[in-house]
Amino acid sequence: IEPPAASTLVMAKGMEDKTCRHWLVSGRVQGVSFRAATRDQALALGLDGSACTLGNGQVEVFAYGAPAALDQFEAWLQRGPPAARVDAVMAGSCFGPLPTGFTTG
């Protein structure tokens, strides 16, 4: 049996350095481009994931990437875009990886 190729080992190492997190964001997060701004911020930080509106008006966010980038992203979620008013951000973990890119819905 041959060992895996070096590129496979590098990818596996990179995956070990990534994690998945989940947030529920509440406040004035509808009609203020919150999801689009969340996608832009995530992509700027090199994160994959999604942001979607729940029936109760909260925005549910999943992101996958480097822990330091996820920390920066969470700090941004606490503020949101200029027109938003974030009242609470509940954080949790999730199982990744998520699909490549960042989707909104």
Side-chain angles (χ1 to χ4, degrees):
I1 299 176
E2 293 183 33
S7 62
T8 303
L9 292 174
V10 170
M11 185 179 354
K13 172 70 173 127
M15 297 299 277
E16 291 171 5
D17 294 338
K18 294 184 178 183
T19 189
C20 185
R21 294 191 196 161
H22 171 250
W23 298 272
L24 291 175
V25 185
S26 59
R28 187 172 49 143
V29 292
Q30 301 303 316
V32 293
S33 298
F34 190 91
R35 290 172 293 143
T38 298
R39 179 193 59 231
D40 293 345
Q41 185 67 25
L43 293 175
L45 291 169
L47 301 173
D48 296 317
S50 65
C52 65
T53 302
L54 299 178
N56 64 5
Q58 292 178 311
V59 172
E60 182 175 46
V61 181
F62 290 92
Y64 177 75
L70 290 167
D71 291 343
Q72 291 178 11
F73 186 58
E74 184 170 349
W76 182 87
L77 287 173
Q78 299 284 342
R79 298 182 311 274
R85 185 194 75 241
V86 176
D87 294 336
V89 177
M90 296 188 325
S93 58
C94 60
F95 297 100
L98 298 173
T100 303
F102 201 94
T103 61
T104 60

